[in-house]
Structures are given as C-alpha cells and as structure tokens.
Amino acid sequence: GTALRLVLPLVVLAICGTLVEDVSNNWAVLYLGTEAGAPVGIAALALTVVLVSQFVGRLVGDPMTDRWGREAVARSGGLLIAAGMALAMLSAPYPVAFVGFALMGFGSATLVPAAFAAADRVPGLPAGTGIALLGWLMRIGFLVTSPAVGALSDVASLRVALLIPLAAGLLAAVLSHRAGRVGRAPTDGRG
C-alpha cells in the first residue's frame, strides 16, 4: 500500500549509498591499477581512502544534518558521489582519482542513515517495521550493483561501467527529498 510506496524510494536511496562501498570493495583497486595507471601498492589504497572518508562523513554527519537538514545533506551527498566518480573517471593522474574516491566516500556517509531515519517515520507502519523493511530490501543492491558494473565493463570498459555509481549519486540527489519529508519536515531530526 501507501507505506510500501514510501519505503521503496528510501530503499533505492540506501542502495545508492551502499553501492559506493560495493564498487569500492570490488572495483576501485582494479580501476586504479588498470585504467588510471596507479602502481599496485598504491592502487590497493583505494578502498582505504573511501572508508576513511566515509568514516569522517559519519562523524560529521549528525552536526551537518542538525545544521542544514537531512534533505540538504542527503542531496549534497548524492552530488558528491556523482562529482567524485566523475573526477575519478575523467582524471588522468591517479592521485586525482583518489580525491574522487574520497569525495564518493564522504558523500555516501549519510545516505543510509538518512534512509533509515526516514524509514522509521513512515506513516502507517508500526515502530521499527520501516527500518526492518529497508534493511532487508537494500541487500538487493549488493546482489545487483557489482555484477552490473562487471557486465558493463565486459561490454564497454571499467571506466564506462563506473557511470553506474555516478548515476546512483545523481539518483540519490533526486530521491533525497524523501529522506527528509517522510513523516515530518525535512530539517527536523538527526541523521
């Protein structure tokens, strides 16, 4: 019903956030080593860069949300994911690609918490049900995103396949209004 229609965009928003980790886990090192020309030892730091920037984003996520609101922070996060992926894809020197991956990690940091906070406020669902639905359904992203990147890289190239996280960032920016508007005003609450 209506509650499920409110939860599904939040699931997609959460998948957009988890996709960054999934792509980083499975493709970032390969991308930096084969497409961006990074030495193997340096390319291996790609996941670390994403996770450290994501950690920093989580530390400052609540204060940012308190100051600017969940909607604005989630929208900015989606745009940072897209900008970071564009920078990583288009950069010739691999150090610039690391900056792109750092932007992606920071941008993704608040998307899943924002989606969970909004899911807990979905009207018509008992307490905790929205969170449970979101947690279960967002796992679909892990089953789909990395194979999609692999399939597209087989058809085109890994550089082209990284349009998937870029598109996810843009989609997250578009969907972010749901994270702030489900249940109460977009600037209320913590993320």
Side-chain angles (χ1 to χ4, degrees):
T2 302
L4 188 58
R5 282 196 303 272
L6 291 173
V7 171
L8 287 178
L10 299 173
V11 170
V12 175
L13 180 64
I15 289 171
C16 290
T18 60
L19 179 138
V20 171
E21 270 186 63
D22 196 33
V23 167
S24 300
N25 278 326
N26 297 314
W27 300 104
V29 173
L30 181 63
Y31 172 76
L32 284 169
T34 60
E35 302 281 336
V40 173
I42 301 294
L45 295 173
L47 177 59
T48 303
V49 167
V50 172
L51 293 179
V52 167
S53 63
Q54 190 177 56
F55 174 74
V56 171
R58 291 262 167 94
L59 287 178
V60 299
D62 279 344
M64 289 188 317
T65 299
D66 290 343
R67 181 169 182 155
W68 295 298
R70 184 174 288 114
E71 177 183 343
V73 171
R75 183 174 43 251
S76 298
L79 293 175
L80 280 174
I81 291 169
M85 195 69 264
L87 187 62
M89 289 172 58
L90 300 175
S91 65
Y94 65 84
V96 178
F98 275 112
V99 173
F101 281 111
L103 289 173
M104 283 177 47
F106 189 83
S108 71
T110 60
L111 292 184
V112 173
F116 272 111
D120 195 37
R121 295 188 319 269
V122 171
L125 291 179
T129 303
I131 290 175
L133 279 170
L134 176 66
W136 183 77
L137 291 172
M138 75 179 214
R139 303 288 181 236
I140 295 168
F142 289 117
L143 299 174
V144 174
T145 55
S146 199
V149 170
L152 188 53
S153 67
D154 279 345
V155 172
S157 71
L158 184 52
R159 188 176 300 267
V160 170
L162 292 183
L163 286 170
I164 292 173
L166 190 151
L170 295 175
L171 181 59
V174 169
L175 291 174
S176 65
H177 70 282
R178 295 272 186 186
R181 294 184 181 165
V182 173
R184 63 180 171 195
T187 56
D188 290 351
R190 295 168 62 105

